[in-house]
Amino acid sequence: MNSQTVLSQLGKNAGTPAISDLMRLAFSRPELISLAAGFVDQNSLPVANTESAWRAIMADSQSAKAALQYGTTQGDPVLRYALAQMLADECPHLKYNPGALAEQLIITTGSQQLLYLIAEALVDPGDIVITEAPTYFVFLDLLAARGAEVIGVPIDEGGMSLGALEQCLAKLESEGRLSRVKLIYSVSEHSNPSGLSLADDRRAPLVQLAKRFSTHHKIHILDDAAYRGLAFDGKEPASLWSHDRSSEFVIHARTFSKTFSPGIKIGYGVLPEALLQVVLGLKGHHDFGSSNLMQRLILQVLETGQYNGQVERLRAIYKEKAETAVRTMVETMGDLHPKVRWTIPKGGLYVWLTVPESIKTSRNGDFFAACLDEGVFYVPGEYCFPHEVEGAMRASHQMRICYGVPSKDKIREGIRRLARVVRRFID
Ligand SMILES: Cc1ncc(COP(=O)(O)O)c(C=O)c1O
């Protein structure tokens, strides 16, 4: 007998996500203040809303049985229509037809499943995906497992630099490699990890750029809008997706994880026609439909207005937390500016903190160890960079700070501890 397990190439490539080590750290040393976990605020999770939605579903035997049955792969048509209506309401001037939009819409098990399905549908080993640098590291891990070549494009205050993107695409064209470019990925709203959004006036030009370089085939844009809805002032520009009027290039990925509850794990996407059937086929292989019960729950909270109420509460909570984080950075490290600098989020859960290049924030470095001794930790910035970054160095002197989980007191204390270490390491 040979007891060896021979893995597929994908299995071999799967690896262990870098972040699991940080999760273990948080569980094994609860005394540490974690500014690392990208979890949502624990106290505001919508227990009462979920309970009343649950009761409403279960109160009627017909609706309860429908919810407890399998649904369709594409997702509950009533929920899809409600979501299409929501999307249409976000940009009334575009006069979307919700009925038609609902047909392009697919419900997924979190938006992560949609990211996976899109990569599965489009990306072969050796294909090129262009991302912001820094970007959502879970997607980077996924792309690495698929054998993709990932090229990062630097960001500034307005998100992805379109000049650098154009340069990158032109270079790939001159090298005869444009035919390998399948996808441009943007975390367009209050990005994980930078906290910054793609500027309003870059959205239409980004779509134009993808179209212009689509000479071999369509270069799709994956508009990961996981944090859309969490703008502190409630105002957000028209989505990146809405600038693709022909609905051919941009894939719009959304989720209820950040704006309602990650435990419910329901996301959705709007897909170009050419991708929809393929992705539905692949989703059929995955699970042939996301939890019908959870879809009904989301529909219930949408219909009763509880969802909108919750989003409003969250905006106020995260605004206060973000202000606490930024104010404490100003108090404790303001005099070190601009050697030490940070983004100022207008929504979402993250601040991106940059220290001088001489300070390496890597997981195995002295700085990280000193932070642990001080009782605080963060996500090392280098996790968020692809190996290749267009026209720039892959930075290792940055940190992702998440203010989602800790209380305001813990945020203040965590940043004070971090600042003490920064002061010790700074030249
Ligand atoms: C940028 C981004 N996209 C997608 C996801 C996936 O979330 P979910 O699958 O819970 O919708 C996350 C989760 O942290 C995220 O930060």
Side-chain angles (χ1 to χ4, degrees), residues 34 55 67 83 97 122 130 196 208 224 232 236 329 336 339 370 385 408:
S34 169
R55 279 184 198 284
L83 297 175
N97 170 351
L122 285 177
I130 300 175
L196 300 169
Q208 286 312 318
D224 181 346
F232 302 146
E236 263 149 0
M329 286 182 190
L336 302 175
K339 279 207 273 189
F385 286 94
K408 283 186 279 177

Side-chain angles (χ1 to χ4, degrees), residues 38 109-113 115 136 138 185 187 191-192 224 226-227 254-258 262 265-267 350 400:
T109 306
S111 54
Q112 187 63 36
Q113 186 185 45
L115 303 189
Y136 173 45
V138 180
Y185 173 66
V187 185
S191 166
N192 174 6
D224 181 346
Y227 298 87
R254 297 280 283 264
T255 178
F256 286 95
S257 289
K258 313 299 176 180
K265 201 69 183 169
I266 290 292
Y350 307 100
R400 187 194 78 174

